Amino acid sequence: MKYISTRGNAPELTFEDAMLTGLARDGGLYVPETVPTMSKEEIAALAGLSYEETAFRVMKPFLGGVFSDEEFKGIIARAYTGFRHDARAPLVQLGPNHFLMELFHGPTLAFKDFAMQLIGQLFQFSLARRGERVTIVGATSGDTGSAAIEAFRGLDNVDVFILFPHGRVSDIQRKQMTTPEDANVHALAMDGDFDDCQAKLKDMFNDFEFRDGVKLAGVNSINWARVLAQVVYYFSTAVSLGAPDRKISFTVPTGNFGDIFAGYIAKKMGLPIDKLVIATNQNDILHRTMETGAYTKEGVTPSISPSMDIQVSSNFERALFDAYGRDGSAVAQLMDELQDGSFTVSQGAIDVLRDTFASGRASEEETMAEITAAFTQTGEVLCPHSAVGVKVANENLGDSPMITLATAHPAKFPDAVEQAMGARPDLPPHMADMMDKPERVTRVPNDLEHLKALIKERIAAR
Ligand SMILES: *Cc1c(COP(=O)(O)O)cnc(C)c1O
């Protein structure tokens, strides 16, 4: 199993090297050369298995033998022990044919833990056997940063730097990043928005001298191993509702297109997915692209679902690569055009995308109204991101069961939830003392040279 770049001009890598690298050297994203498929019998055989066993069977064909079965089973077991629900990704019912997949029972209360806890164990294993160390730099709109810190804190052979947009994450998200005391954790509050943070991260990766000098590794959702980890819960939940004998639909609140792209991979592997629905907040570049074919950047407008406040949707590049018949030079040209703010998807490619994905958006008012409605009708307390999903899912209900992904615990976004419901959601007891802990954070300018110097200095000091 080889991994190739979406821009067609980087070395082919193994699963392990693609994971440790993150971004390809031509600026593209790694994807498997071919997507392995599972037969109907193999999918049916997942019924009743633990999440961990399902994870093993679904992910193993992508590894190309870089870990033994025993090694990989151990990695998976360690990754999911910190989750506070035995099902890991339990379903609750919202309506006659509508279910919610709760992805917030991990250590930082957002779905990012599913991938990040696994990738933390994978890195630890690989670095130890290679005798290497790496510097992880991540950009976050809030939840990736805390999930990465939680997965990598305290490791000797890893330094983790997290860039987050100053003043644009919730108090709890910030506290989760700034209160860990481990010396290898570095929280950086940058002047700018999430797209600025992500752009600086890409600049660091494109500076090969710096990249190789500090052994830069990326754990943003562009990292293939993260996408792969997220494929698992599409299988586990679909099978529990009757797949492969019955088609299942999914609605995914998305910004960077990572989580929904994992659903797309599940479908390519053979899971009978009926509708795959993109749900965006008011920062709706993906919905507009599906409607018009024009991918046009507008400014980011801060919303009550901040983890989706994104205009440059990195993982969409992977979908484009397939929609253009895996033509890397065509994708490279689109990404070049995007430097000037927009590109237009060809008719052939937009037809392919529309065959695979439906889309919708929720305004701020609609998101608030959905939190209230879901609570009144079902007693379920939704975080604003999940509410965006439920609102769009309701517009796409049909014959097949609909599963909406609940991406974060409501207590991570207490202000919006309180405003909608009149009551403030409580943090789980194990996190209740976090708000009183002292914070450790460095305010940084939106300046590449400054950031590179700071990272080198911090590593040298360890
Ligand atoms: C990251 C995140 C999203 C968006 O996920 P993508 O994979 O970037 O599309 C949605 N909701 C929450 C709570 C998140 O943390």
Coordinates of all heavy atoms in Angstrom, one line a residue, residues 234-301:
Y234 N -18.1 5.4 11.0 CA -19.1 5.2 10.0 C -19.5 3.8 9.9 O -20.7 3.4 9.8 CB -18.6 5.7 8.6 CG -18.5 7.3 8.6 CD1 -17.3 7.9 8.9 CD2 -19.6 8.0 8.2 CE1 -17.3 9.3 8.9 CE2 -19.5 9.4 8.1 CZ -18.4 10.0 8.5 OH -18.3 11.4 8.5
F235 N -18.5 2.9 9.9 CA -18.8 1.4 9.8 C -19.5 1.0 11.1 O -20.6 0.3 11.0 CB -17.5 0.6 9.7 CG -17.1 0.5 8.2 CD1 -16.2 1.5 7.7 CD2 -17.5 -0.5 7.4 CE1 -15.8 1.4 6.3 CE2 -17.1 -0.6 6.1 CZ -16.3 0.3 5.6
S236 N -19.0 1.3 12.3 CA -19.6 0.8 13.5 C -21.0 1.2 13.7 O -21.9 0.3 14.0 CB -18.7 1.2 14.7 OG -18.8 2.6 15.0
T237 N -21.4 2.4 13.4 CA -22.7 2.9 13.6 C -23.7 2.4 12.4 O -24.8 2.0 12.7 CB -22.8 4.4 13.6 OG1 -22.2 5.0 12.5 CG2 -22.2 4.9 14.9
A238 N -23.2 2.4 11.2 CA -24.0 1.9 10.1 C -24.4 0.4 10.3 O -25.6 0.0 10.1 CB -23.3 2.1 8.8
V239 N -23.4 -0.4 10.7 CA -23.7 -1.8 11.0 C -24.7 -2.0 12.1 O -25.6 -2.8 12.0 CB -22.4 -2.6 11.2 CG1 -22.6 -3.9 11.8 CG2 -21.6 -2.6 9.9
S240 N -24.6 -1.1 13.1 CA -25.5 -1.3 14.2 C -27.0 -0.9 13.8 O -27.9 -1.3 14.5 CB -25.1 -0.6 15.5 OG -25.3 0.8 15.3
L241 N -27.1 -0.2 12.7 CA -28.5 0.1 12.2 C -28.9 -0.7 11.0 O -29.8 -0.4 10.3 CB -28.6 1.6 11.9 CG -28.6 2.6 13.0 CD1 -28.8 4.0 12.5 CD2 -29.7 2.3 14.1
G242 N -28.1 -1.8 10.8 CA -28.6 -2.7 9.7 C -27.8 -2.8 8.4 O -28.2 -3.6 7.6
A243 N -26.7 -2.0 8.3 CA -25.9 -2.2 7.1 C -25.1 -3.5 7.3 O -24.9 -3.9 8.4 CB -24.9 -1.0 7.1
P244 N -24.8 -4.2 6.2 CA -24.9 -3.7 4.8 C -26.2 -4.1 4.1 O -26.4 -3.8 3.0 CB -23.8 -4.5 4.1 CG -23.7 -5.8 4.9 CD -24.1 -5.4 6.4
D245 N -27.2 -4.6 4.9 CA -28.5 -5.0 4.3 C -29.3 -3.8 4.0 O -30.3 -3.8 3.3 CB -29.2 -6.0 5.1 CG -28.5 -7.3 5.2 OD1 -27.8 -7.7 4.2 OD2 -28.4 -7.9 6.3
R246 N -29.0 -2.7 4.7 CA -29.8 -1.5 4.6 C -28.9 -0.3 4.3 O -27.8 -0.2 4.9 CB -30.5 -1.3 5.9 CG -31.4 -0.2 6.1 CD -32.5 -0.5 7.1 NE -32.1 -0.3 8.5 CZ -32.9 0.3 9.4 NH1 -34.1 0.7 9.0 NH2 -32.5 0.4 10.6
K247 N -29.3 0.6 3.5 CA -28.5 1.8 3.2 C -28.7 2.8 4.4 O -29.8 2.9 4.9 CB -28.9 2.5 1.9 CG -28.4 1.8 0.7 CD -28.6 2.7 -0.5 CE -27.8 2.2 -1.7 NZ -27.7 3.1 -2.8
I248 N -27.6 3.5 4.7 CA -27.6 4.5 5.8 C -27.1 5.8 5.3 O -26.2 5.9 4.4 CB -26.7 4.1 7.0 CG1 -26.9 2.6 7.4 CG2 -26.8 5.0 8.2 CD1 -28.2 2.3 8.1
S249 N -27.7 6.9 5.8 CA -27.3 8.3 5.4 C -26.6 8.9 6.6 O -26.8 8.6 7.7 CB -28.5 9.1 5.0 OG -29.0 8.6 3.8
F250 N -25.7 9.9 6.2 CA -25.0 10.6 7.3 C -25.0 12.1 7.0 O -24.9 12.5 5.8 CB -23.5 10.2 7.3 CG -23.3 8.8 7.9 CD1 -23.2 7.7 7.0 CD2 -23.1 8.5 9.2 CE1 -23.0 6.4 7.5 CE2 -22.9 7.3 9.7 CZ -22.9 6.2 8.8
T251 N -25.1 12.9 8.0 CA -24.9 14.3 7.9 C -23.8 14.7 8.8 O -23.8 14.3 10.0 CB -26.2 15.1 8.3 OG1 -27.3 14.7 7.4 CG2 -26.0 16.6 8.2
V252 N -22.9 15.5 8.3 CA -21.6 15.8 9.0 C -21.4 17.3 9.0 O -21.2 18.0 8.0 CB -20.4 15.2 8.2 CG1 -19.2 15.2 9.1 CG2 -20.7 13.7 7.9
P253 N -21.4 17.9 10.3 CA -21.0 19.3 10.4 C -19.6 19.5 10.0 O -18.7 18.8 10.6 CB -21.3 19.6 11.9 CG -21.8 18.4 12.5 CD -21.7 17.3 11.6
T254 N -19.3 20.3 9.1 CA -17.9 20.3 8.6 C -17.4 21.7 8.3 O -18.1 22.6 8.0 CB -17.7 19.4 7.4 OG1 -16.3 19.2 7.1 CG2 -18.4 20.0 6.2
G255 N -16.0 21.8 8.3 CA -15.4 23.1 8.0 C -14.2 22.7 7.1 O -14.1 23.1 5.9
N256 N -13.3 21.9 7.6 CA -12.1 21.5 6.9 C -12.3 20.3 6.0 O -11.3 19.8 5.5 CB -11.0 21.3 7.9 CG -9.7 22.0 7.5 OD1 -9.6 22.5 6.4 ND2 -8.7 22.0 8.3
F257 N -13.5 19.7 6.0 CA -13.8 18.6 5.2 C -13.2 17.3 5.6 O -13.2 16.3 4.8 CB -13.5 18.9 3.7 CG -14.4 18.2 2.7 CD1 -15.7 18.7 2.5 CD2 -14.0 17.1 1.9 CE1 -16.6 18.1 1.6 CE2 -14.9 16.5 1.0 CZ -16.2 17.0 0.9
G258 N -12.6 17.2 6.8 CA -11.9 16.0 7.2 C -12.8 14.9 7.6 O -12.7 13.7 7.1
D259 N -13.8 15.2 8.4 CA -14.7 14.2 9.0 C -15.6 13.6 7.9 O -15.8 12.4 7.7 CB -15.5 14.9 10.0 CG -16.0 13.9 11.1 OD1 -15.6 12.7 11.1 OD2 -16.7 14.3 12.0
I260 N -16.1 14.5 7.0 CA -17.0 14.0 5.9 C -16.2 13.2 4.9 O -16.7 12.3 4.3 CB -17.8 15.1 5.3 CG1 -18.9 14.5 4.4 CG2 -17.0 16.1 4.6 CD1 -20.1 15.4 4.2
F261 N -14.9 13.6 4.7 CA -14.1 12.9 3.7 C -13.9 11.4 4.2 O -13.8 10.5 3.4 CB -12.7 13.6 3.5 CG -12.0 12.9 2.4 CD1 -12.4 13.2 1.0 CD2 -10.9 12.1 2.6 CE1 -11.7 12.5 0.0 CE2 -10.3 11.4 1.6 CZ -10.6 11.7 0.2
A262 N -13.8 11.2 5.5 CA -13.7 9.9 6.1 C -15.0 9.1 5.7 O -14.9 7.9 5.4 CB -13.5 9.9 7.6
G263 N -16.1 9.7 5.7 CA -17.4 9.1 5.3 C -17.3 8.7 3.9 O -17.8 7.6 3.5
Y264 N -16.7 9.5 3.1 CA -16.6 9.2 1.6 C -15.7 8.0 1.4 O -16.0 7.1 0.6 CB -16.0 10.5 1.0 CG -15.5 10.3 -0.4 CD1 -16.3 10.2 -1.5 CD2 -14.1 10.2 -0.6 CE1 -15.8 10.0 -2.8 CE2 -13.6 10.1 -1.9 CZ -14.4 10.0 -3.0 OH -13.9 9.8 -4.2
I265 N -14.6 7.9 2.2 CA -13.7 6.7 2.1 C -14.5 5.5 2.5 O -14.4 4.4 1.9 CB -12.5 6.9 3.0 CG1 -11.6 8.0 2.4 CG2 -11.7 5.6 3.1 CD1 -11.0 7.8 1.1
A266 N -15.3 5.6 3.6 CA -16.1 4.4 4.0 C -17.0 3.9 2.9 O -17.1 2.7 2.6 CB -17.0 4.8 5.2
K267 N -17.6 4.9 2.2 CA -18.4 4.6 1.0 C -17.6 3.9 -0.1 O -18.0 2.9 -0.6 CB -19.1 5.8 0.5 CG -20.2 5.6 -0.6 CD -21.0 6.8 -0.9 CE -22.0 6.5 -1.9 NZ -23.0 7.5 -2.2
K268 N -16.4 4.4 -0.4 CA -15.6 3.8 -1.4 C -15.2 2.4 -1.0 O -14.9 1.6 -1.9 CB -14.3 4.7 -1.6 CG -14.5 5.8 -2.6 CD -13.2 6.5 -2.9 CE -12.6 5.9 -4.2 NZ -11.5 6.8 -4.7
M269 N -15.0 2.2 0.3 CA -14.6 0.8 0.8 C -15.8 -0.2 0.6 O -15.5 -1.4 0.8 CB -14.2 0.9 2.2 CG -12.9 1.6 2.5 SD -12.6 1.6 4.3 CE -12.1 -0.1 4.6
G270 N -17.0 0.3 0.4 CA -18.1 -0.6 0.2 C -19.2 -0.4 1.2 O -20.2 -1.2 1.1
L271 N -19.1 0.5 2.1 CA -20.2 0.7 3.1 C -21.4 1.3 2.3 O -21.2 2.3 1.6 CB -19.8 1.6 4.2 CG -20.8 1.7 5.4 CD1 -20.9 0.4 6.1 CD2 -20.4 2.8 6.4
P272 N -22.6 0.7 2.4 CA -23.7 1.3 1.6 C -24.2 2.6 2.2 O -25.2 2.5 3.0 CB -24.7 0.1 1.6 CG -24.4 -0.7 2.8 CD -23.0 -0.5 3.1
I273 N -23.6 3.7 1.8 CA -24.1 5.0 2.3 C -25.0 5.6 1.2 O -24.6 5.6 0.0 CB -22.9 5.9 2.6 CG1 -22.1 5.3 3.8 CG2 -23.4 7.3 2.9 CD1 -20.9 6.2 4.2
D274 N -26.2 6.0 1.7 CA -27.1 6.6 0.8 C -26.8 8.1 0.5 O -26.1 8.4 -0.4 CB -28.5 6.4 1.4 CG -29.6 6.9 0.5 OD1 -29.3 7.2 -0.7 OD2 -30.8 7.0 0.9
K275 N -27.2 8.9 1.5 CA -26.8 10.3 1.3 C -25.6 10.7 2.2 O -25.6 10.2 3.4 CB -27.9 11.3 1.7 CG -29.1 11.3 0.7 CD -30.0 12.4 1.2 CE -31.4 12.3 0.5 NZ -32.3 13.2 1.0
L276 N -24.7 11.5 1.8 CA -23.6 12.0 2.6 C -23.7 13.5 2.5 O -23.5 14.1 1.5 CB -22.3 11.5 2.0 CG -21.0 11.5 2.8 CD1 -21.2 10.9 4.2 CD2 -19.9 10.7 2.1
V277 N -24.2 14.1 3.6 CA -24.6 15.5 3.6 C -23.6 16.4 4.3 O -23.3 16.2 5.5 CB -26.0 15.7 4.2 CG1 -26.5 17.1 4.0 CG2 -27.0 14.7 3.7
I278 N -23.1 17.4 3.6 CA -22.2 18.4 4.1 C -23.1 19.5 4.8 O -24.0 20.0 4.2 CB -21.5 19.2 3.0 CG1 -20.6 18.2 2.2 CG2 -20.7 20.4 3.5 CD1 -20.1 18.8 0.8
A279 N -22.8 19.7 6.1 CA -23.5 20.8 6.8 C -22.5 21.9 7.2 O -21.6 21.6 8.0 CB -24.2 20.2 8.1
T280 N -22.8 23.1 6.8 CA -21.9 24.2 7.1 C -22.6 25.3 7.9 O -23.8 25.3 7.9 CB -21.3 24.9 5.9 OG1 -22.3 25.7 5.3 CG2 -20.8 24.0 4.9
N281 N -21.9 26.1 8.7 CA -22.5 27.2 9.3 C -22.5 28.4 8.3 O -22.4 28.2 7.1 CB -21.8 27.5 10.7 CG -20.3 28.0 10.5 OD1 -19.9 28.5 9.5 ND2 -19.5 27.9 11.6
Q282 N -22.5 29.6 8.8 CA -22.6 30.8 7.9 C -21.3 30.9 7.1 O -21.3 31.6 6.0 CB -22.9 32.1 8.7 CG -21.8 32.4 9.7 CD -22.2 33.5 10.6 OE1 -23.3 34.0 10.6 NE2 -21.2 34.0 11.5
N283 N -20.2 30.3 7.5 CA -19.0 30.3 6.7 C -19.2 29.1 5.7 O -18.7 28.0 6.0 CB -17.8 30.2 7.6 CG -17.6 31.4 8.4 OD1 -17.4 32.5 7.9 ND2 -17.8 31.2 9.7
D284 N -19.9 29.3 4.6 CA -20.5 28.2 3.9 C -19.8 28.0 2.5 O -20.5 27.6 1.6 CB -22.0 28.6 3.7 CG -22.2 29.9 2.9 OD1 -21.2 30.6 2.7 OD2 -23.3 30.2 2.6
I285 N -18.5 28.2 2.5 CA -17.8 28.0 1.2 C -18.1 26.7 0.5 O -18.3 26.6 -0.7 CB -16.3 28.3 1.3 CG1 -15.7 28.3 -0.1 CG2 -15.6 27.3 2.2 CD1 -14.3 28.9 -0.1
L286 N -18.2 25.6 1.3 CA -18.4 24.3 0.8 C -19.8 24.2 0.2 O -20.0 23.6 -0.9 CB -18.2 23.2 1.8 CG -16.8 23.0 2.3 CD1 -16.7 22.2 3.6 CD2 -15.9 22.3 1.2
H287 N -20.8 24.7 0.9 CA -22.2 24.7 0.4 C -22.3 25.5 -0.9 O -22.9 25.1 -1.9 CB -23.1 25.2 1.5 CG -24.6 25.2 1.1 ND1 -25.2 24.2 0.5 CD2 -25.5 26.3 1.0 CE1 -26.5 24.5 0.2 NE2 -26.6 25.8 0.5
R288 N -21.7 26.7 -0.9 CA -21.7 27.5 -2.1 C -21.1 26.8 -3.3 O -21.6 26.9 -4.4 CB -21.1 28.9 -1.8 CG -21.9 29.9 -1.0 CD -21.3 31.2 -0.9 NE -20.3 31.3 0.1 CZ -19.0 31.5 -0.1 NH1 -18.5 31.7 -1.4 NH2 -18.1 31.5 0.9
T289 N -20.0 26.2 -3.0 CA -19.3 25.5 -4.1 C -20.2 24.4 -4.7 O -20.2 24.2 -5.9 CB -17.9 24.9 -3.6 OG1 -17.2 25.9 -3.0 CG2 -17.2 24.2 -4.7
M290 N -20.8 23.6 -3.8 CA -21.7 22.6 -4.3 C -22.9 23.2 -5.1 O -23.3 22.6 -6.1 CB -22.3 21.8 -3.2 CG -21.2 21.0 -2.4 SD -20.4 19.8 -3.4 CE -21.7 18.6 -3.8
E291 N -23.3 24.4 -4.7 CA -24.5 25.0 -5.4 C -24.0 25.6 -6.8 O -24.7 25.4 -7.8 CB -25.1 26.1 -4.6 CG -25.6 25.6 -3.2 CD -27.1 25.6 -3.2 OE1 -27.7 26.7 -3.1 OE2 -27.7 24.5 -3.3
T292 N -22.9 26.3 -6.8 CA -22.5 27.1 -7.9 C -21.3 26.5 -8.7 O -21.1 27.0 -9.9 CB -22.1 28.5 -7.5 OG1 -20.9 28.4 -6.7 CG2 -23.2 29.1 -6.6
G293 N -20.5 25.7 -8.1 CA -19.3 25.2 -8.8 C -18.1 26.2 -8.6 O -17.0 25.9 -9.0
A294 N -18.4 27.3 -8.0 CA -17.3 28.3 -7.8 C -16.8 28.3 -6.3 O -17.6 28.4 -5.4 CB -17.8 29.7 -8.1
Y295 N -15.5 28.0 -6.2 CA -14.9 28.0 -4.8 C -14.3 29.3 -4.6 O -13.3 29.6 -5.2 CB -13.9 26.8 -4.8 CG -13.3 26.5 -3.4 CD1 -13.8 25.5 -2.6 CD2 -12.2 27.3 -2.9 CE1 -13.2 25.2 -1.4 CE2 -11.7 27.0 -1.7 CZ -12.2 26.0 -0.9 OH -11.6 25.7 0.3
T296 N -15.0 30.2 -3.8 CA -14.6 31.6 -3.7 C -14.4 31.9 -2.2 O -15.4 31.8 -1.5 CB -15.6 32.5 -4.3 OG1 -15.9 32.1 -5.7 CG2 -15.1 33.9 -4.4
K297 N -13.2 32.3 -1.9 CA -12.9 32.7 -0.5 C -13.6 34.0 -0.1 O -13.5 35.0 -0.9 CB -11.4 32.9 -0.3 CG -10.7 31.6 0.0 CD -9.3 31.9 0.6 CE -8.2 32.2 -0.4 NZ -6.9 32.4 0.1
E298 N -14.3 34.0 1.0 CA -14.8 35.3 1.5 C -14.2 35.4 2.9 O -13.6 34.4 3.4 CB -16.3 35.3 1.6 CG -17.0 35.4 0.2 CD -18.5 35.2 0.3 OE1 -19.0 35.0 1.4 OE2 -19.1 35.2 -0.8
G299 N -14.2 36.5 3.6 CA -13.6 36.6 4.9 C -14.4 35.6 5.9 O -15.5 35.2 5.6
V300 N -13.7 35.2 7.0 CA -14.3 34.4 8.0 C -15.1 35.2 8.9 O -14.6 36.2 9.4 CB -13.3 33.6 8.8 CG1 -13.9 32.9 9.9 CG2 -12.5 32.6 7.9
T301 N -16.4 34.9 9.1 CA -17.2 35.6 10.1 C -17.3 34.7 11.3 O -17.9 33.6 11.2 CB -18.6 35.8 9.5 OG1 -18.5 36.3 8.2 CG2 -19.4 36.8 10.3

